[in-house]
Amino acid sequence: MKLLLLLAILMGLGGCNRPPKTAELQLWTIQLSPKFDPLIKPMLADWESRNPGVKVRWTDLPFGSVERKVLAAVFARTAPDVVNLNPLFAANLASKGGLLPLQDRLGQAKATYLPEILQAGEQQGELYALPWYLTARITLANQQLLQQAGYSKPPRRWDEVAAYAEQIKKRTGRYALFVTVVPDGSAELLESMVQMGVEFLDKRHRARFNSAAGRRAFAFWTDLYRRGLLPREVVSQGFARAIELYQSGELAQVATGAEFLSTIQTNAPRIAAQTAPYPPLVGKSGVANVAVMNLAVTRQTSRPKEAVDLAVFITNPENQLRFARAARVLPSSVPALREIEQELLLASAAAGKADLVQQARLLSAQTLSQARVLVPADPGVKRMQAIIYGQLQRAMLGQLSSAAALLAAEKEWNAYAAARWP
């Protein structure tokens, strides 16, 4: 009997000495592997070394499938702990209770992010996502077409675009710009409306866009299209068509990120040789748009402390700086952005006008001082875009006046909003 008791005690002691079971955090990102494996894998190993007993399982998803897969995982209660999202999808997921509030979990780390960019992760005063990396849109313009039309540079403000588009078409036979009105396409046209003074929604999610500014914006785009100053395809094709037209010399300018200049140099070297970067189009306020990629923590995580710590670690100044250098994007961290700007200033000064990509990246970084996420991260904003674009198409195609189309958009949205937010 004593022997059995002794064996039991020894087995118990042996069990106490077993290494604890390793916990696992799941991290999902968007289209970063395998290109950035050499950067991200060591970064995750570094975090693991600081958090013994916790491993990170990294899954990278194609851009087109991330929303579907995340929603399916949330529904199945197998959501990742930390997930890479854009502000609109993060807002949608937060509105459904799918994301962990972060406002009181960040401590001093909160002060390292660009304040206006951090706000893009908020919903009704609560923070649900941390900004990771950014792209500030600039204008790339074909200087040969500009010169033929009598311009030394493209317009800076939207109220100058109509006369400019007319001159480009009249003197070159080409189009000035391409802004899609495909309902599920780019939000560039919505962003232009904000720059024109349009407010989309009130606090109850009801439409505010049928206003004097909204009527001017609808009339502006309707008039450009009906006068033949926009490519016919803006009502049927997305942003990819703008790239095709620009690279074939059929478009005077394109609004895109600085990194796209490298693509033009590869695909259309003749057009690249005629291309120069310029500041983006803005409204009276001078505010430009910025595209943000976030990291969020799902509410289903069983280890919220470690998940938040991982998201903060990935987006800390040092790791943002490394990623911005490798991916040629912009950081959302104040110290990292200062460092990137300094590096780009030195590189541009050394290269002079020879390196257009460096010039474009510097211009993009400098644009951030007057940039923010223009379209509010409302959970229904993609539906609102589809409604506004669909009715604007009707006006462009002559089925309705622009004012009637805007009124129809207001009624359609408010019916949807009343059902969703009574």
Side-chain angles (χ1 to χ4, degrees):
M1 189 71 179
K2 289 182 179 178
L3 180 59
L4 289 173
L5 182 60
L6 180 60
L7 285 172
I9 292 170
L10 289 173
M11 288 177 69
L13 290 173
C16 291
N17 290 329
R18 286 191 201 122
K21 184 179 178 182
T22 301
E24 182 180 84
L25 289 182
Q26 286 197 60
L27 167 68
W28 287 12
T29 61
I30 304 173
Q31 216 155 304
L32 298 180
S33 184
K35 184 174 182 180
F36 299 109
D37 286 12
L39 179 77
I40 292 176
K41 286 182 177 180
M43 177 179 65
L44 297 180
D46 184 13
W47 185 85
E48 289 172 345
S49 72
R50 299 163 189 249
N51 295 268
V54 186
K55 294 292 182 184
V56 180
R57 178 152 51 121
W58 174 34
T59 302
D60 193 63
L61 301 172
F63 186 84
S65 69
V66 64
E67 293 191 16
R68 174 175 51 83
K69 286 182 179 291
V70 170
L71 286 173
V74 169
F75 182 76
R77 302 203 61 79
T78 58
D81 300 273
V82 181
V83 62
N84 178 193
L85 304 169
N86 64 42
L88 299 184
F89 185 46
N92 188 32
L93 206 53
S95 73
K96 293 177 168 60
L99 298 182
L100 189 73
L102 301 174
Q103 195 80 26
D104 299 324
R105 298 174 182 265
L106 297 183
Q108 294 181 345
K110 186 177 178 182
T112 65
Y113 303 99
L114 293 163
E116 297 240 338
I117 306 303
L118 189 66
Q119 284 181 354
E122 291 184 0
Q123 273 284 300
Q124 297 180 334
E126 179 58 76
L127 182 68
Y128 288 99
L130 300 179
W132 186 6
Y133 60 93
L134 316 172
T135 303
R137 187 184 295 136
I138 60 171
T139 295
L140 298 180
N142 185 319
Q143 292 177 294
Q144 185 177 63
L145 292 181
L146 261 60
Q147 289 167 5
Q148 288 177 20
Y151 285 85
S152 60
K153 58 184 179 182
R156 188 72 175 91
R157 299 228 322 227
W158 283 108
D159 56 16
E160 301 167 339
V161 165
Y164 165 75
E166 185 174 19
Q167 282 297 98
I168 292 287
K169 190 70 185 294
K170 180 179 178 182
R171 296 198 179 186
T172 72
R174 311 300 205 279
Y175 292 102
L177 72 168
F178 184 109
V179 179
T180 183
V181 200
V182 174
D184 61 350
S186 162
E188 185 182 355
L189 192 141
L190 280 190
E191 292 155 9
S192 79
M193 291 178 70
V194 175
Q195 291 172 319
M196 294 175 191
V198 178
E199 291 183 51
F200 287 116
L201 304 173
D202 63 21
K203 291 181 179 179
R204 295 178 56 247
H205 303 278
R206 301 309 190 260
R208 295 194 66 180
F209 51 77
N210 189 8
S211 59
R215 288 188 287 276
R216 285 193 297 269
F218 253 54
F220 171 85
W221 288 111
T222 300
D223 185 57
L224 278 183
Y225 189 82
R226 288 188 185 180
R227 291 170 61 196
L229 301 178
L230 290 174
R232 298 286 98 182
E233 309 97 300
V234 298
V235 297
S236 59
Q237 297 191 48
F239 180 72
R241 183 57 177 160
I243 300 304
E244 291 173 1
L245 289 172
Y246 186 81
Q247 291 185 156
S248 64
E250 295 299 315
L251 209 59
Q253 67 182 65
V254 64
T256 186
E259 67 282 355
F260 183 69
L261 190 48
S262 299
T263 305
I264 299 175
Q265 289 173 334
T266 301
N267 296 343
R270 182 180 65 83
I271 298 300
Q274 300 165 7
T275 295
Y278 294 93
L281 277 163
V282 294
K284 290 181 180 178
S285 69
V287 175
N289 186 67
V290 60
V292 181
M293 274 296 182
N294 289 328
L295 282 180
V297 176
T298 62
R299 197 180 283 271
Q300 289 179 16
T301 182
S302 60
R303 305 186 73 92
K305 182 178 181 299
E306 290 85 353
V308 172
D309 188 76
L310 176 60
V312 170
F313 181 78
I314 293 171
T315 60
N316 73 24
E318 295 79 11
N319 285 321
Q320 282 207 35
L321 185 58
R322 292 189 191 100
F323 187 76
R325 286 169 176 160
R328 301 174 77 84
V329 292
L330 297 173
S332 62
S333 157
V334 175
L337 181 60
R338 287 186 190 135
E339 186 72 22
I340 286 290
E341 278 193 89
Q342 189 61 31
E343 290 175 5
L344 291 172
L345 275 168
L346 293 172
S348 294
K353 292 186 177 181
D355 195 334
L356 284 178
V357 175
Q358 292 284 15
Q359 287 183 47
R361 290 193 70 211
L362 177 60
L363 181 59
S364 185
Q366 292 170 336
T367 297
L368 278 185
S369 64
Q370 290 185 297
R372 61 182 175 88
V373 178
L374 292 176
V375 178
D378 187 278
V381 74
K382 292 301 288 183
R383 180 64 176 268
M384 184 188 72
Q385 176 180 313
I387 290 170
I388 288 176
Y389 282 22
Q391 296 297 346
L392 182 55
Q393 281 185 347
R394 296 177 70 193
M396 288 175 159
L397 296 171
Q399 298 168 5
L400 291 174
S401 69
S402 63
L406 185 60
L407 178 61
E410 178 189 37
K411 289 179 177 178
E412 188 178 353
W413 168 259
N414 281 342
Y416 170 80
R420 184 165 181 183
W421 300 283

